[in-house]
Amino acid sequence: GAPGAPSIIPGGLFESQELLEGPDGNLVLGKREIGTNKVGMVAWLVKMKTPEYPEGREVVFIANDVTVQSGSFGVPEDELFFKASKYAREHKLPRVYIACNSGARIGLVDDLKPKFNIKFIDEASPSKGFEYLYLTDEVYKSLPEGSVNVRQVPEGWAITDIIGTDEGIGVENLQGSGKIAGETSRAYDEIFTLSYVTGRSVGIGAYLVRLGQRIIQMKQGPMLLTGYGALNKLLGREVYTSQDQLGGPQVMFPNGCTHEVVDDDQQGVSSILRWLSFVPKTTESPPAVRQCADPVNRDVEWRPTPTPYDPRLMLSGTADAAGFFDKGSWKEYLSGWGKSTVIGRGRLGGIPMGAIAVETRLVERIVPADPADP
């Protein structure tokens, strides 16, 4: 507000309604007890009052629930993500995805494990391998029809395919992964998309945050396609010792995937709100303007020096000399990547703007070593 004016904080600052699947499969707004969801994906329509929109603005939040099957993506999770993202697109609202997951769900038919036998090439030396897994005639007939595909062998029935009786444990999950990857690309084209990686994000979870382009990453939130244990097995030796070597901030920030790194979730939420403050409430709305105590007709007091200087100071100013943008509004992004260019956002007379500046000083670039390189 104006200088010296008391700041009035309105009531009802934050409201949320969960996006729930109705009996017909369409999303409806509602509420339910926390922790009663059976699907490892949750979504909300949030209404919050901000300095830019004191009357309130709406944002769609989508998040993995890591307490349901480790936050893995099965068909129900893919469907909810797809519908919530589509809801955001149809209403032209910003879409924020909070990622913490273990990738696409590939399940096991646990009740079959104790029932099959192994036909070894040499019973005395199992290390030589096996010919096939088989079921005795009695066990095969006791299984539900269609749960396995078999061929007849002297010992009984050799298993060629395990199908199981539960839906959503096989390649249908990968089909759903492709569906939500396509939806995220469409969302990036049509609306504002932002992702916050709050914990490990694997496989399709890493693809989704990358396809949404704008990424805030928590220090303990690696993004990776395959875990380090699987890569070590593939390489035949202990090369990697942690997921962070594959997709931690020390890899993703210098390579330009991650725009901003935060220490904890408190900082993460603050960064989400800060980024949203530069974004219109819908794609058709004018820019998110706020009242500003810094007069727009004041002089830019900061002056370049003959010796090399930090170009950010021209934009942000210092404690003694005001810069180009409103005081305290400058925020740099992608500071770990392309260090000879400075990019960020700020406000001029309360109007959000993007800025690009050139770093004329010598810069140091650190390329993290890949332990797999000889």
Side-chain angles (χ1 to χ4, degrees), residues 42-54:
V42 281
W44 299 269
L45 177 66
V46 165
K47 185 173 183 182
M48 49 190 168
K49 294 176 181 173
T50 66
E52 302 78 36
Y53 296 105

Side-chain angles (χ1 to χ4, degrees), residues 6 17 23 35 73 81 97 108 125 275 300-301 359 363-364:
Q17 286 183 290
F73 290 80
F81 185 101
Y97 169 45
L108 299 169
S125 180
W275 205 323
V300 177
E301 296 163 354
E359 174 63 90
V363 295
E364 185 182 63

Side-chain angles (χ1 to χ4, degrees), residues 312-335:
R312 295 164 187 81
L313 300 178
M314 179 174 58
L315 302 166
S316 65
T318 62
D320 307 321
F324 180 74
F325 286 121
D326 298 344
K327 196 170 183 180
S329 71
W330 166 252
K331 172 74 174 171
E332 186 181 357
Y333 290 98
L334 282 171
S335 61

Side-chain angles (χ1 to χ4, degrees), residues 182-217:
E183 167 56 34
T184 299
S185 292
R186 277 192 295 275
Y188 174 70
D189 283 342
E190 295 178 25
I191 57 175
F192 173 80
T193 55
L194 174 63
S195 301
Y196 172 44
V197 182
T198 179
R200 178 197 62 193
S201 202
V202 183
I204 182 60
Y207 279 124
L208 291 176
V209 297
R210 184 66 184 118
L211 288 167
Q213 300 288 343
R214 303 173 193 90
I215 301 170
I216 301 167
Q217 187 176 11

Side-chain angles (χ1 to χ4, degrees), residues 46-223:
V46 165
K47 185 173 183 182
M48 49 190 168
K49 294 176 181 173
T50 66
E52 302 78 36
Y53 296 105
E55 75 283 2
R57 69 175 302 169
E58 290 184 329
V59 181
V60 171
F61 279 82
I62 307 171
N64 296 109
D65 183 350
V66 79
T67 66
V68 178
Q69 298 198 51
S70 302
S72 57
F73 290 80
V75 174
E77 285 79 12
D78 295 335
E79 281 299 315
L80 185 67
F81 185 101
F82 177 83
K83 289 169 184 174
S85 180
K86 189 178 174 191
Y87 179 94
R89 280 196 301 116
E90 287 172 346
H91 292 81
K92 298 180 168 50
L93 298 172
R95 193 204 84 174
V96 179
Y97 169 45
I98 300 173
C100 181
N101 55 73
S102 56
R105 185 178 305 149
I106 300 297
L108 299 169
V109 184
D110 289 316
D111 53 353
L112 193 64
K113 278 185 191 174
K115 295 179 179 175
F116 64 74
N117 300 293
I118 303 169
K119 169 66 173 168
F120 288 104
I121 293 169
D122 182 354
E123 289 283 350
S125 180
S127 61
K128 290 181 180 176
F130 66 95
E131 290 183 43
Y132 47 77
L133 306 177
Y134 68 91
L135 302 167
T136 62
D137 191 56
E138 182 187 351
V139 169
Y140 173 59
K141 286 176 178 170
S142 71
L143 294 175
E145 193 175 341
S147 60
V148 288
N149 290 343
V150 293
R151 60 186 171 83
Q152 198 154 15
V153 290
E155 294 84 2
W157 301 92
I159 301 170
T160 55
D161 306 286
I162 298 173
I163 291 134
T165 53
D166 296 330
E167 183 68 23
I169 60 168
V171 291
E172 60 271 22
N173 295 333
L174 301 179
Q175 182 183 358
S177 295
K179 182 178 181 179
I180 57 178
E183 167 56 34
T184 299
S185 292
R186 277 192 295 275
Y188 174 70
D189 283 342
E190 295 178 25
I191 57 175
F192 173 80
T193 55
L194 174 63
S195 301
Y196 172 44
V197 182
T198 179
R200 178 197 62 193
S201 202
V202 183
I204 182 60
Y207 279 124
L208 291 176
V209 297
R210 184 66 184 118
L211 288 167
Q213 300 288 343
R214 303 173 193 90
I215 301 170
I216 301 167
Q217 187 176 11
M218 211 246 279
K219 276 188 176 170
Q220 283 81 39
M223 291 182 275

Side-chain angles (χ1 to χ4, degrees), residues 209-259:
V209 297
R210 184 66 184 118
L211 288 167
Q213 300 288 343
R214 303 173 193 90
I215 301 170
I216 301 167
Q217 187 176 11
M218 211 246 279
K219 276 188 176 170
Q220 283 81 39
M223 291 182 275
L224 48 132
L225 299 182
T226 304
Y228 77 94
L231 287 176
N232 285 343
K233 284 179 185 170
L234 190 67
L235 295 165
R237 55 200 172 94
E238 294 295 310
V239 174
Y240 297 102
T241 56
S242 77
Q243 313 288 26
D244 286 335
Q245 289 178 302
L246 301 171
Q250 70 268 36
V251 175
M252 292 300 173
F253 195 46
N255 73 10
C257 281
T258 294
H259 291 233

Side-chain angles (χ1 to χ4, degrees), residues 22-35:
D24 58 355
N26 293 323
L27 291 185
V28 293
L29 292 169
K31 290 193 184 299
R32 63 178 166 184
E33 285 291 317
I34 294 171

